[in-house]
Amino acid sequence: MPPPKPVIVDKTQAEATQRRFLSPEFIPPRQRTNPIKFVIERKDMIQRRKVLNIPEFYAGSILAVNVADPYANGKTNRFVGICTQRSGKGLGATFVLRNIIDGQGVEICYELYNPQIHQIEVLKLEKRLDDNLMYLRDALPEYCTIDFNMKPVPHPANGEVPVNQLKVKMKPKPWSKRWERPKFKIQGIRFELTLSEEKN
């Protein structure tokens, strides 16, 4: 039998209002071939969480990440962006942040348990209609332009994580993928606007 799924406690909140949540990288992959490896990784993940607070966040949440950088002032580099993807299991878990800087889209893929990460701060905790927002690469820049000086948005400790119902408007085709195909099951794109533009 697989080990029980550990429930993570957000210790940044007062003890009386601490949220409990299950971080997705702790869920064993269906096709795992070596469960012992996953159990060992899980122990390492829990030990890492004793050093670094890894908060609750989802695709659509806005994060600020501080990473060790010997070439930066203060020896750390800070990046702010919207989380467009969470993937991987165990120590291989990753997340992608995207922002628009000087008119150019910038994406950074972080390893969640990378020891070079000093801090992960949630500036705005929310979900979107889709679990994967990589289509923001093909959306108008306004949807992933985040102010680096953004202040954290308070979230009720025991409240449900809000789901942002926003549907984005896309740039003219071609796109990086054919997001309109049924296999992607995209809910967060206003396809009717794109189609109307093509007819004009």
Side-chain angles (χ1 to χ4, degrees), residues 4-72:
K5 301 173 184 177
V7 175
I8 309 301
V9 178
D10 187 353
K11 296 182 179 180
T12 62
Q13 302 174 17
E15 184 174 354
T17 59
Q18 286 178 350
R19 284 179 56 84
R20 294 178 178 270
F21 62 96
L22 177 63
S23 201
E25 75 275 6
F26 280 96
I27 301 175
R30 292 182 180 180
Q31 303 298 326
R32 68 185 191 279
T33 57
N34 190 346
I36 296 178
K37 174 179 178 293
F38 194 79
V39 171
I40 295 174
E41 282 192 351
R42 177 175 287 180
K43 292 180 180 178
D44 289 341
M45 292 153 63
I46 293 174
Q47 289 299 316
R48 174 61 176 156
R49 283 176 173 269
K50 292 180 180 179
V51 178
L52 173 69
N53 176 54
I54 300 178
E56 177 183 17
F57 68 93
Y58 304 88
S61 297
I62 298 176
L63 310 179
V65 178
N66 291 336
V67 180
D69 184 353
Y71 302 104

Side-chain angles (χ1 to χ4, degrees), residues 53-122:
N53 176 54
I54 300 178
E56 177 183 17
F57 68 93
Y58 304 88
S61 297
I62 298 176
L63 310 179
V65 178
N66 291 336
V67 180
D69 184 353
Y71 302 104
N73 292 332
K75 303 300 182 183
T76 59
N77 186 287
R78 184 175 186 266
F79 187 78
V80 175
I82 182 171
C83 179
T84 57
Q85 182 184 67
R86 289 194 67 168
S87 60
K89 299 294 183 181
L91 290 174
T94 62
F95 63 99
V96 177
L97 296 187
R98 179 177 176 83
N99 204 341
I100 303 296
I101 301 175
D102 295 331
Q104 297 294 321
V106 178
E107 289 184 353
I108 299 180
C109 180
Y110 294 98
E111 295 177 345
L112 188 59
Y113 292 92
N114 186 340
Q116 291 185 315
I117 293 180
H118 287 186
Q119 182 185 33
I120 300 175
E121 181 183 9
V122 177

Side-chain angles (χ1 to χ4, degrees), residues 147-186:
D147 185 354
F148 265 64
N149 296 317
M150 176 181 176
K151 302 296 183 182
V153 177
H155 176 72
N158 292 324
E160 292 293 325
V161 177
V163 178
N164 190 331
Q165 303 288 329
L166 176 69
K167 293 189 176 184
V168 304
K169 184 177 179 180
M170 304 293 276
K171 299 175 184 176
K173 292 183 178 180
W175 300 332
S176 58
K177 291 184 179 180
R178 298 187 64 178
W179 301 111
E180 73 277 12
R181 288 185 172 180
K183 68 176 183 178
F184 292 115
K185 301 179 181 179
I186 300 297

Side-chain angles (χ1 to χ4, degrees), residues 130-155:
D130 303 297
D131 293 330
N132 189 313
L133 304 181
M134 296 305 285
Y135 56 76
L136 288 179
R137 293 174 174 176
D138 301 311
L140 296 180
E142 63 196 67
Y143 296 108
C144 46
T145 301
I146 311 298
D147 185 354
F148 265 64
N149 296 317
M150 176 181 176
K151 302 296 183 182
V153 177
H155 176 72

